[in-house]
Amino acid sequence: MTGEANAATKKQVKKAAAAATASESHFEQWKEVSGFIASMISKHGFTETELKATFKQVKHIESARQLMRPAPPGKPKNWKAYRARFVEPYRIEAGAAFWDKYADALTKAEQEYGVPPEIIVGLIGVETIFGKQTGGFRVMDVLTTLAFDYPDTPTRDARMQFFRGELENMLLMAKESSLDPFVFKGSYAGAIGWPQFMPGSIRKYAVDFDGDGKINLTDSPVDAIGSVAHYLAVHGWKRNLPIAFPATLVVPEKSEQLNTALGKGLLASYQLQDLKAMATTASSEAPTNISYGLVDLQNGNDATEYWFATDNFFAITLYNRSYFYAMSVFDLGRMIAAARHK
């Protein structure tokens, strides 16, 4: 959900986590933090004493800053290499076991939200390998670091605002659940639990799906299943709608017509008939009465793959704004379903 699958490789994340050092920062003395504390007091009724005491315990996490830096320019995107990291034998085997164990919860989620098991399982598999890699950073540390000391990038101001919002939600979530904010562990970007929800998403979209009276995305895979389904449903998932079909271009790759179609963004705005002028699909299963968007998956120096994507594909991109990510969820889910049928 945080885009980490795009920002850094698993190897980079593991290396950074192993080398992570938490340094004294005295965040409680920073001018920007004082302003944030004043805002939290005014908006939410916190006290200055409690917040200053909290920020006095926060550590600066330099590795989180470094992992937020964009990749060096010049290296072409490679869908096949990306896919190989996520659609691989271990995740497929673990996904089949997860599906078997939580089949009842997955069925219930599909009934309530319309999201099929293979998508929920595929997404949790891509995010954390079914709870194996949920992150070991204290969420308060990384959110505070990124909210007030984000690296110097073109999007620095916007990203700092985003993380300040998540820090606000983190403190509110801890207060609402009567928990110490420092008990929450997560990724280097502050994402939490099996589905890697940011604090704001936990407060808005997470559900108590196991019925125990609390939401726990770290220790309850059933809550994770229901929360993923609920999130996708809120963000445009449509019951029984297909996801994507492979396409073949009938126009040159750099044509204006093609560039216009690819520039529509995360939106299904064409009818199948409209797309036939630039691309076709060999699939006889592609309905003619729904909308599609044209998606390109670049393969480095090899040929680009093209797909007709529906609103459900784009719903996955609202979990993580990446075509590579959404297609990995789709592919991993399909492979896990196939493995179970064997």
Side-chain angles (χ1 to χ4, degrees), residues 110 114 116 237-242 312:
E110 182 173 24
W237 187 274
K238 297 178 180 178
R239 190 182 297 268
N240 299 322
L241 187 73
N312 280 354

Side-chain angles (χ1 to χ4, degrees), residues 56-73:
K56 192 171 185 179
Q57 299 176 59
V58 173
K59 306 295 184 182
H60 184 278
I61 309 297
E62 179 60 25
S63 57
R65 292 183 73 252
Q66 296 307 318
L67 285 167
M68 284 295 167
R69 294 187 181 279

Side-chain angles (χ1 to χ4, degrees), residues 11-337:
K11 189 175 181 180
Q12 287 174 312
V13 174
K14 187 177 288 188
K15 182 178 179 181
T21 56
S23 59
E24 295 290 342
S25 61
H26 301 290
F27 275 118
E28 79 282 2
Q29 298 177 14
W30 289 30
K31 180 180 178 181
E32 294 85 353
V33 175
S34 295
F36 177 82
I37 289 174
S39 174
M40 294 295 289
I41 294 169
S42 173
K43 289 170 62 177
H44 304 298
F46 285 87
T47 68
E48 182 176 14
T49 299
E50 66 179 317
L51 287 180
K52 282 198 170 183
T54 296
F55 281 105
K56 192 171 185 179
Q57 299 176 59
V58 173
K59 306 295 184 182
H60 184 278
I61 309 297
E62 179 60 25
S63 57
R65 292 183 73 252
Q66 296 307 318
L67 285 167
M68 284 295 167
R69 294 187 181 279
K75 191 173 182 179
K77 295 180 179 180
N78 192 315
W79 157 239
K80 289 179 182 177
Y82 182 103
R83 181 186 186 277
R85 287 164 48 200
F86 297 102
V87 186
E88 44 88 21
Y90 181 82
R91 289 185 207 242
I92 294 169
E93 182 179 352
F98 178 86
W99 192 331
D100 288 343
K101 185 173 183 178
Y102 297 106
D104 290 347
L106 289 162
T107 299
K108 178 186 173 187
E110 182 173 24
Q111 291 170 345
E112 290 194 18
Y113 301 113
V115 183
E118 59 266 27
I119 295 302
I120 301 171
V121 173
L123 191 149
I124 295 174
V126 168
E127 286 289 347
T128 62
I129 319 182
F130 309 101
K132 184 179 180 183
Q133 296 178 348
T134 58
F137 293 92
R138 291 198 311 182
V139 173
M140 275 296 299
D141 290 340
V142 294
L143 289 181
T144 305
T145 298
L146 298 173
F148 299 103
D149 194 23
Y150 197 86
D152 188 11
T153 67
T155 60
R156 183 175 191 264
D157 289 344
R159 296 301 286 164
M160 287 175 73
Q161 283 302 118
F162 168 77
F163 283 109
R164 287 183 193 187
E166 292 301 332
L167 180 59
E168 178 179 358
N169 277 299
M170 175 72 258
L171 288 165
L172 287 169
M173 187 171 72
K175 185 176 184 179
E176 290 160 357
S177 57
S178 300
L179 292 172
D180 181 343
F182 292 98
V183 305
F184 293 91
K185 298 288 184 68
S187 72
Y188 67 86
I192 296 169
W194 287 63
Q196 292 289 275
F197 272 29
M198 295 298 286
S201 290
I202 293 176
R203 295 185 69 233
K204 287 181 182 177
Y205 309 116
V207 295
D208 172 22
F209 209 56
D210 62 12
D212 68 351
K214 59 185 179 181
I215 295 170
N216 187 338
L217 300 185
T218 299
D219 300 313
S220 174
V222 174
D223 282 359
I225 287 168
S227 298
V228 167
H230 181 234
Y231 183 97
L232 291 174
V234 169
H235 287 83
W237 187 274
K238 297 178 180 178
R239 190 182 297 268
N240 299 322
L241 187 73
I243 297 170
F245 301 94
T248 302
L249 291 187
V250 296
V251 296
E253 282 205 318
K254 295 185 179 180
S255 69
E256 183 177 345
Q257 187 180 21
L258 177 63
N259 289 337
T260 298
L262 293 173
K264 292 291 185 179
L266 309 179
L267 184 66
S269 56
Y270 289 96
Q271 294 298 302
L272 199 60
Q273 185 65 35
D274 300 329
L275 287 165
K276 285 184 177 178
M278 65 187 86
T280 62
T281 180
S283 175
S284 60
E285 298 177 0
T288 59
N289 61 341
I290 64 173
S291 297
Y292 297 90
L294 189 61
V295 167
D296 59 332
L297 303 177
Q298 299 172 39
N299 272 317
N301 296 322
D302 294 333
T304 297
E305 287 185 29
Y306 293 90
W307 290 73
F308 292 157
T310 73
D311 285 329
N312 280 354
F313 179 89
F314 293 114
I316 302 172
T317 68
L318 296 179
Y319 201 99
N320 180 311
R321 301 178 75 85
S322 161
Y323 290 165
F324 282 12
Y325 176 88
M327 191 59 72
S328 290
V329 169
F330 178 42
D331 269 358
L332 179 59
R334 288 191 300 173
M335 295 293 287
I336 292 170

